[in-house]
Amino acid sequence: MADQMQPSLYDLPQSPPNFDKVGTFYIAFCATWTFLLLLGVTFLIVNRKNPILKIRALGLSLTAILFLHLYWILAQITYPIGLTLPVIVAYDVQYFFMGIWFPLGVALFHASNTRFLYVAKRQKQYAQSPKLRRKKQGCNGAATSWLCRLRNMDYPTRILIYIGLGMILQVLLTVGMWLMCRKYHPTFGIAGTDLPSGTIAEQMIELSRGWEWWPSALWQAIWTWIIAPIMIWKAWGIRDTLGWRFQTIGCCLANLHATPMWLIAMYVPAFTKVNTYFAPSEWIHLSVMCFEIFAVFVPCWLVVRQYRLRKRAADSNAKWETASQSTLRKSSTVEWKTASFIEKGLTIDYLDREMGDRLFTMSALDHVLSENPGPLQEFSALRDFSGENIAFLTNVASWKSSWPGGATEDQIRDAFTRGLVIYTSFISPRDAEFPINIPSKDLKQLEAIFERPARIVCGEARVDPATPFSMDGSSSGADGEADSDRDWIELGEVAGRIQYVGEISEEFDFGVFDRAQAHIKYLVLTNTWPKFVTEIQEQRRSGETERSGNTGKSSSTVVSRVSNLIRSIL
């Protein structure tokens, strides 16, 4: 009779809010952190066109943060107001958030981080050669299997499909286990899955344990202890200037403790007292806060630092470009020295830090682009993930240098075909994998000239976003395998193997790319170029002691080359 009168968890009455010192702290902390996070997110959205943010696929990252932060808020208000709900309803909410909402947020967040590895890999194409890359032969997705269609999709779409399939499985497992487990609904379910008899406290502990929680634990283990270490290993050797590697590795490391500590807090009796004030799920939410720091606040700081660097470069360019060049040449107060930057066998002679900001000028950038753009191209691709900008500038310069002196129809058509290759490779949002960042007005002007011909030549779908042009029959050797020596082609070779024969816009002329070229060149001047010069100067300072005693014939040769460089720049 006594057992029958024992209170049940299902009959437990609701409690008033618990606004003691701990409860007040949780509410105040939740409100403050959410306010700061909203400020950071707003700042990122306002500055979304900044190169540091634009390449990150900000929408995917912020969507993941939204999912994770809503679950984080739920955990912070559990202590003060959690018991105002019926106990079973409160645990139902926690179960579905832990089983569906949180895994989806983590999956989206890691999908945004895997974009880092994808961009780093694809940007290598700009460092390997200044030429345009040929089209890779792939599946004809419209006429073959669904697997080919999947392979032909762009990377973000393909990742979201994988995540969607995984989440469908996760939803089915979570809902199915909830339906089978009688502890959440005593009137139906599998026999033997009821709450065991015992005290209210024991029943509440048992309600947060059990086999129905393991799909969520499995998802977390896969992401944190399989996917994350693989991402750390792949990202370790990448050295970017955007803070993206730091963000990715930081998020992966910050999440390693979450699942083990959650399980320990639930199953180790010594944590019972701690769990009263610091729920087991709070160990997971510590990693959520780290996600938010690395994905929101760190990029905000990087954008502010980038603005300072851009302002310094713009001010230096305005100062020195307006100064009298003849006066600079005659100045006897400046001591010119040299600095060497050696990268993969390439030696570039630059001026050391005594030049101050004199290298942050358009003249210096123009000289490097015309004389030896290779190291800058490699730096922009491997470190700044903006290799398309330098490749665009060098290809436009090459296109202009080959502009026909006459005005015959065939020559104009050949020039238009070459320009069409540049448009589809670097400008078109539909064809270029990394479209250059130009104002919408300039983009619309170029689209009016090239978009219709591009659709005629390339078709409606983006086949290979790196380069939409292919030369049939030239990609295989005698044995049927790809000829690696022909993987890279010159701009003129592309135009020589294809020929646009349709109508050419009357607005097409020698200066069709001038506005885009000027915009991208200024973008490089204020973004990539200062980082490139600064790194060279820092490397020179770090190796200055080692070279201080070396004064031989080679040194005088370097001085001679730098003298020529100064004359070219000034």
Side-chain angles (χ1 to χ4, degrees):
M1 191 69 174
D3 292 340
Q4 294 179 358
M5 297 301 297
Q6 185 175 0
S8 172
L9 187 62
Y10 304 107
D11 302 325
L12 193 66
Q14 296 172 232
S15 302
N18 187 9
F19 290 129
D20 58 5
K21 292 183 179 180
V22 177
T24 303
F25 168 78
Y26 273 119
I27 293 295
F29 177 69
C30 179
T32 303
W33 184 259
T34 301
F35 175 73
L36 294 176
L37 184 68
L38 289 176
L39 287 181
V41 170
T42 302
F43 180 83
L44 294 181
I45 294 175
V46 171
N47 295 276
R48 62 189 178 277
K49 294 184 179 181
N50 187 285
I52 291 178
L53 302 178
K54 187 174 182 179
I55 199 172
R56 272 175 160 85
L58 203 59
L60 187 60
S61 177
L62 294 184
T63 301
I65 290 297
L66 174 64
F67 273 82
L68 295 175
H69 190 72
L70 288 177
Y71 183 42
W72 180 88
I73 292 176
L74 182 67
Q76 309 314 307
I77 63 176
T78 296
Y79 178 88
I81 65 174
L83 293 180
T84 60
L85 296 174
V87 175
I88 298 301
V89 174
Y91 274 91
D92 283 341
V93 172
Q94 181 182 359
Y95 174 78
F96 282 107
F97 263 85
M98 180 74 80
I100 298 177
W101 193 269
F102 177 67
L104 178 59
V106 173
L108 291 174
F109 188 77
H110 278 290
S112 67
N113 282 336
T114 58
R115 179 175 168 80
F116 164 66
L117 302 178
Y118 169 76
V119 169
K121 179 181 178 180
R122 296 299 297 167
Q123 280 284 329
K124 289 181 180 179
Q125 64 180 299
Y126 298 113
Q128 292 171 353
S129 173
K131 306 172 186 178
L132 297 173
R133 189 149 196 167
R134 293 178 52 188
K135 185 186 79 174
K136 296 180 180 178
Q137 301 298 325
C139 299
N140 181 3
T144 57
S145 68
W146 62 269
L147 185 60
C148 286
R149 294 188 182 96
L150 183 63
R151 290 174 55 189
N152 288 340
M153 291 178 180
D154 58 4
Y155 175 80
T157 302
R158 195 164 62 246
I159 285 294
L160 290 177
I161 289 177
Y162 293 151
I163 291 175
L165 294 176
M167 286 310 303
I168 291 175
L169 177 61
Q170 177 71 6
V171 170
L172 294 177
L173 286 173
T174 303
V175 175
M177 289 185 172
W178 182 84
L179 292 173
M180 290 186 292
C181 189
R182 293 175 66 95
K183 66 171 68 173
Y184 299 103
H185 36 73
T187 59
F188 64 93
I190 298 177
T193 60
D194 310 78
L195 276 176
S197 60
T199 65
I200 294 294
E202 291 173 345
Q203 290 182 359
M204 291 186 67
I205 292 175
E206 186 61 29
L207 197 60
S208 61
R209 299 177 180 177
W211 49 270
E212 71 274 9
W213 292 90
W214 285 102
S216 177
L218 178 62
W219 260 92
Q220 295 176 51
I222 290 175
W223 282 113
T224 58
W225 287 96
I226 297 179
I227 303 298
I230 292 175
M231 291 180 61
I232 293 175
W233 176 69
K234 289 185 176 181
W236 198 259
I238 301 174
R239 296 291 186 272
D240 67 293
T241 63
L242 307 177
W244 207 354
R245 170 183 177 268
F246 174 73
Q247 171 186 325
T248 301
I249 294 179
C251 290
C252 291
L253 291 177
N255 201 30
L256 293 177
H257 77 281
T259 303
M261 290 303 301
W262 171 58
L263 294 174
I264 291 172
M266 284 200 305
Y267 288 96
V268 175
F271 273 80
T272 303
K273 294 182 178 180
V274 176
N275 294 342
T276 303
Y277 303 99
F278 195 80
S281 64
E282 288 286 6
W283 296 102
I284 295 176
H285 297 300
L286 285 178
S287 64
V288 172
M289 292 186 65
C290 292
F291 285 169
E292 294 169 348
I293 291 172
F294 286 114
V296 176
F297 296 115
V298 169
C300 287
W301 173 74
L302 292 172
V303 169
V304 172
R305 189 183 67 172
Q306 174 71 6
Y307 276 132
R308 292 176 180 174
L309 185 63
R310 290 178 60 179
K311 187 176 185 304
R312 177 189 175 191
D315 292 345
S316 299
N317 181 65
K319 174 183 177 181
W320 293 106
E321 289 292 282
T322 55
S324 171
Q325 299 299 313
S326 59
T327 302
L328 290 176
R329 290 193 185 96
K330 296 177 181 179
S331 175
S332 59
T333 61
V334 179
E335 179 183 1
W336 303 104
K337 295 186 178 179
T338 65
S340 297
F341 178 64
I342 302 176
E343 182 81 21
K344 294 184 178 180
L346 298 175
T347 302
I348 316 168
D349 295 328
Y350 286 98
L351 308 179
D352 69 356
R353 62 183 182 276
E354 293 187 15
M355 284 195 67
D357 292 342
R358 290 175 178 85
L359 276 179
F360 295 164
T361 60
M362 189 66 75
S363 297
L365 175 59
D366 282 336
H367 177 74
V368 170
L369 288 174
S370 62
E371 296 297 326
N372 186 17
L376 178 59
Q377 173 74 72
E378 184 171 339
F379 175 87
S380 65
L382 300 183
R383 302 289 307 280
D384 206 44
F385 297 158
S386 58
E388 70 278 2
N389 290 336
I390 308 301
F392 169 75
L393 293 176
T394 54
N395 276 279
V396 168
S398 175
W399 176 77
K400 286 186 173 181
S401 66
S402 63
W403 184 266
T408 66
E409 182 179 351
D410 290 341
Q411 290 175 326
I412 296 298
R413 189 166 300 278
D414 179 68
F416 183 84
T417 302
R418 292 168 180 259
L420 186 60
V421 174
I422 293 175
Y423 172 79
T424 55
S425 299
F426 301 107
I427 299 174
S428 172
R430 301 182 63 179
D431 301 302
E433 183 170 19
F434 297 101
I436 58 175
N437 186 13
I438 58 177
S440 58
K441 181 179 179 181
D442 297 342
L443 176 61
K444 290 179 181 179
Q445 179 185 5
L446 292 172
E447 284 179 337
I449 298 173
F450 291 107
E451 184 61 25
R452 185 172 179 275
R455 300 284 64 82
I456 294 174
V457 174
C458 305
E460 294 301 323
R462 185 168 69 178
V463 179
D464 182 359
T467 311
F469 298 98
S470 65
M471 282 60 70
D472 296 334
S474 63
S475 61
S476 301
D479 56 357
E481 296 181 357
D483 184 358
S484 60
D485 293 335
R486 303 289 292 171
D487 283 344
W488 294 91
I489 51 178
E490 296 282 3
L491 176 62
E493 187 178 347
V494 180
R497 291 175 180 250
I498 64 169
Q499 188 70 29
Y500 175 71
V501 296
E503 182 181 355
I504 298 177
S505 172
E506 295 180 357
E507 297 181 10
F508 173 75
D509 56 19
F510 177 79
V512 67
F513 293 116
D514 282 357
R515 294 174 62 177
Q517 184 184 23
H519 181 83
I520 294 301
K521 189 178 292 186
Y522 188 79
L523 192 66
V524 171
L525 175 71
T526 55
N527 287 275
T528 306
W529 178 248
K531 302 174 189 175
F532 179 63
V533 173
T534 301
E535 179 165 301
I536 293 176
Q537 294 177 339
E538 288 178 353
Q539 291 194 12
R540 182 192 187 279
R541 286 195 290 268
S542 64
E544 193 172 28
T545 304
E546 298 179 3
R547 298 194 302 269
S548 59
N550 298 329
T551 55
K553 182 178 179 180
S554 60
S555 180
S556 61
T557 303
V558 172
V559 171
S560 175
R561 291 202 299 268
V562 171
S563 298
N564 295 330
L565 176 64
I566 297 170
R567 294 190 185 96
S568 300
I569 295 178
L570 302 180

